[in-house]
Amino acid sequence: DGGITQSPKYLFRKEGQNVTLSCEQNLNHDAMYWYRQDPGQGLRLIYYSQIVNDFQKGDIAEGYSVSREKKESFPLTVTSAQKNPTAFYLCASSGDREQLNTEAFFGQGTRLTVV
Amino acid sequence: EDKVVQSPLSLVVHEGDTVTLNCSYEVTNFRSLLWYKQEKKAPTFLFMLTSSGIEKKSGRLSSILDKKELFSILNITATQTGDSAVYLCAVEKYIAGGANNLFFGTGTRLTVIP
């Protein structure tokens, strides 16, 4: 079955540590996105990638880094520079080049807690 | 600057009521508008709208797009407690090269009271 998989589901981090959240898709989608969701707020775009080996900052990129070495994978690293990393992180993908107007698919999310 | 604005931010209704959720946008190179329902974890897809004036319907939910006035509405009739969720509106814009970009609104939190 095609889909998008995030791991882990829950993650605990000590202050000062970097952590990497995994996002893998087998939908042949070109575009992938990372969003952060905080209580009472909408999805805010962290980074997005339109194509392999290319990515762009979103609205709240500070303290985060990404890579897109493979079409299927778009890992997000939350660095120690991110001052308030506790949040729910959602990965999404969209845009199969062979189809028009495909909707975005979301992973199940990773809840990151800094302890 | 591209943006998507949803209103109201939150809404509380009684079972059986009809609700209308609004989404307005300013996005260059518009490709489509999407509605999602988010209950606890991942948003689930509801509708994709690309053409003005054509209503999409799924059970008690329906949605329509006005590309001239740059907005969409999501209607839910005969609401049930299971409709309680955050409803997200997103606009997809075309980017040269064939890929797309998504911009989300902050969502409308709907609470349906028995």
Side-chain angles (χ1 to χ4, degrees):
Chain A
D1 285 339
I4 182 165
T5 303
Q6 285 186 245
S7 63
K9 196 172 180 180
Y10 299 96
L11 187 57
F12 295 88
R13 187 195 94 172
K14 290 184 179 179
E15 283 192 25
Q17 283 183 337
N18 292 355
V19 290
T20 297
L21 282 57
S22 169
C23 179
E24 304 276 333
Q25 55 98 359
N26 60 2
L27 300 163
N28 198 36
H29 282 170
D30 295 298
M32 296 186 74
Y33 314 82
W34 274 105
Y35 296 93
R36 170 183 171 139
Q37 190 171 41
D38 296 280
Q41 297 195 39
L43 296 174
R44 291 185 291 167
L45 183 65
I46 304 172
Y47 267 98
Y48 63 95
S49 169
Q50 306 292 342
I51 199 168
V52 175
N53 291 323
D54 185 56
F55 48 83
Q56 307 293 330
K57 292 182 179 180
D59 301 320
I60 53 165
E62 186 175 348
Y64 299 98
S65 66
V66 293
S67 63
R68 187 86 187 275
E69 297 177 3
K70 298 185 300 182
K71 186 175 185 178
E72 302 79 19
S73 179
F74 191 42
L76 173 75
T77 296
V78 185
T79 74
S80 57
Q82 170 49 237
K83 299 303 179 191
N84 186 22
T86 295
F88 185 57
Y89 291 86
L90 279 167
C91 178
S93 70
S94 74
D96 181 346
R97 284 181 186 269
E98 297 175 5
Q99 298 181 27
L100 293 176
N101 302 126
T102 57
E103 73 269 20
F105 289 79
F106 285 86
Q108 289 301 303
T110 294
R111 186 164 297 281
L112 172 64
T113 304
V114 174
V115 297
Chain B
E1 183 183 337
D2 297 318
K3 61 180 178 181
V4 177
V5 178
Q6 289 186 249
S7 64
L9 290 180
S10 65
L11 192 55
V12 180
V13 300
H14 289 96
E15 266 193 320
D17 287 350
T18 293
V19 297
T20 298
L21 309 183
N22 303 293
C23 176
S24 64
Y25 63 92
E26 291 179 28
V27 175
T28 56
N29 298 327
F30 174 91
R31 192 163 194 176
S32 63
L33 185 143
L34 304 98
W35 284 97
Y36 290 86
K37 177 182 181 181
Q38 186 179 26
E39 294 179 80
K40 289 186 179 177
K41 293 288 175 73
T44 53
F45 173 74
L46 295 175
F47 297 111
M48 173 183 281
L49 304 158
T50 56
S51 302
S52 272
I54 299 174
E55 184 183 54
K56 292 221 171 174
K57 200 169 170 65
S58 176
R60 295 176 294 102
L61 277 66
S62 64
S63 184
I64 197 161
L65 173 67
D66 185 329
K67 290 168 77 173
K68 184 179 177 185
E69 300 297 330
L70 307 182
F71 77 91
S72 172
I73 59 171
L74 175 68
N75 279 323
I76 308 175
T77 59
T79 51
Q80 302 171 358
T81 55
D83 294 327
S84 296
V86 174
Y87 290 84
L88 297 169
C89 172
V91 173
E92 189 177 37
K93 66 179 286 181
Y94 175 79
I95 299 291
N100 307 302
N101 227 356
L102 280 176
F103 291 89
F104 280 85
T106 54
T108 292
R109 180 173 294 280
L110 174 65
T111 304
V112 181
I113 300 172

